[in-house]
Amino acid sequence: MYLYCPSTVKWYEAGMNPLTTAPPACVGLRIGDLAPDFEARSTVGPVRLSSFRGRWLVLFSHPADFTPVCTTEFVALAHEMATFEARNCALMAMSVDSLFSHFAWVRMIRDRFGVEVRFPIVEDPTLVIGRAYGMVSACDNDSAAVRTTFVIDPAGVIRAMTCYPANLGRSIPEILRILAGLQVVDAHGALAPANWQPADPLLEAPAHDLDEVFAASDATGWFLRDMGGQN
Ligand code: BEZ
């Protein structure tokens, strides 16, 4: 188990002294972890991560305001905000830029691209959030967050993560597919196969009983079981 020490802004193994111990080279969050809570200033006022409980949340970092790829991502996300909302999912962006930089950037986006970015963009000038989420290095002073995306469920648990480099923009349809896939497998206790898209057939969980394995009509029938289309 690791503990986060806000005063040194680093992670430590439980029982270690933050003042005398070097942090591990790499400590990251994993699928199934509770998303670390934080409170911060954002473009829509103060936000607290835990206040999003009861809804899905896509929390994502971007390297910097006023950069080309990030601008295309924000325009695309703002256009799809209603699609996320229809799936009971909020969006929250985060970068090390100041709140006033975020304001100037969303104003520019509205004037140039005709779309209002209404989801919160959090400022993280001290890198505390970025480090807690592994969006910036836990061990050095490079402030440029990579394009990390966390899909967090209504219980506050991290259910999926993606990490892209600064020079490759994210696929917004893929983020929506991840969200839709998690929602549908939760609802049906099922599995989503490769390249699954909403309304495509799901797979049933494999048998866990040897009698079922031997009773299956063919060699794959006990583990590769089509469940039909579900939304
Ligand atoms: C971009 O969003 O275009 C970008 C951000 C940081 C480094 C390089 C590109």
Side-chain angles (χ1 to χ4, degrees):
M1 178 173 132
Y2 291 97
L3 298 172
Y4 191 68
C5 173
S7 57
T8 58
V9 203
K10 285 177 177 157
W11 292 88
Y12 298 89
E13 258 180 273
M16 286 182 171
N17 180 348
L19 300 176
T20 58
T21 313
C26 178
V27 176
L29 292 170
R30 291 165 182 242
I31 287 174
D33 287 347
L34 201 59
D37 199 12
F38 62 82
E39 200 174 337
R41 294 202 306 179
S42 86
T43 48
V44 302
V47 287
R48 176 181 275 277
L49 186 109
S50 53
S51 71
F52 286 79
R53 294 275 161 80
R55 303 182 66 187
W56 290 80
L57 176 67
V58 173
L59 171 69
F60 62 99
S61 61
H62 64 282
D65 296 350
F66 292 101
T67 50
V69 177
C70 296
T71 300
T72 62
E73 287 186 335
F74 275 62
V75 171
L77 280 162
H79 279 303
E80 290 294 349
M81 194 172 159
T83 315
F84 283 95
E85 277 175 355
R87 290 199 167 272
N88 189 31
C89 181
L91 298 171
M92 189 190 295
M94 196 284 295
S95 84
V96 299
D97 300 280
S98 73
L99 182 60
F100 298 104
S101 169
H102 293 335
F103 281 145
W105 189 37
V106 296
R107 172 65 202 255
M108 182 280 291
I109 288 173
R110 192 201 65 177
D111 291 358
R112 171 67 180 76
F113 297 97
V115 62
E116 294 187 359
V117 176
R118 288 286 181 178
F119 53 81
I121 310 176
V122 165
E123 68 167 2
D124 183 31
T126 60
L127 313 185
V128 170
I129 305 168
R131 285 190 169 127
Y133 278 82
M135 293 161 162
V136 293
S137 167
C139 305
D140 67 27
N141 294 322
D142 181 357
S143 67
V146 286
R147 299 183 195 284
T148 312
T149 308
F150 292 89
V151 180
I152 300 168
D153 75 13
V157 174
I158 296 170
R159 300 290 302 278
M161 316 184 251
T162 69
C163 188
Y164 286 37
N167 54 5
L168 177 63
R170 282 165 280 212
S171 162
I172 309 314
E174 174 59 7
I175 298 173
L176 276 164
R177 192 191 77 94
I178 293 169
L179 174 67
L182 289 170
Q183 291 179 338
V184 80
V185 299
D186 280 6
H188 299 284
L191 310 170
N195 300 328
W196 178 87
Q197 294 289 341
D200 280 356
L202 294 167
L203 299 172
E204 246 183 89
H208 283 84
D209 179 276
L210 189 58
D211 288 335
E212 259 192 89
V213 173
F214 287 140
S217 58
D218 62 40
T220 59
W222 62 274
F223 77 94
L224 200 49
R225 311 193 277 193
D226 207 326
M227 207 171 141
Q230 315 280 341
N231 270 308

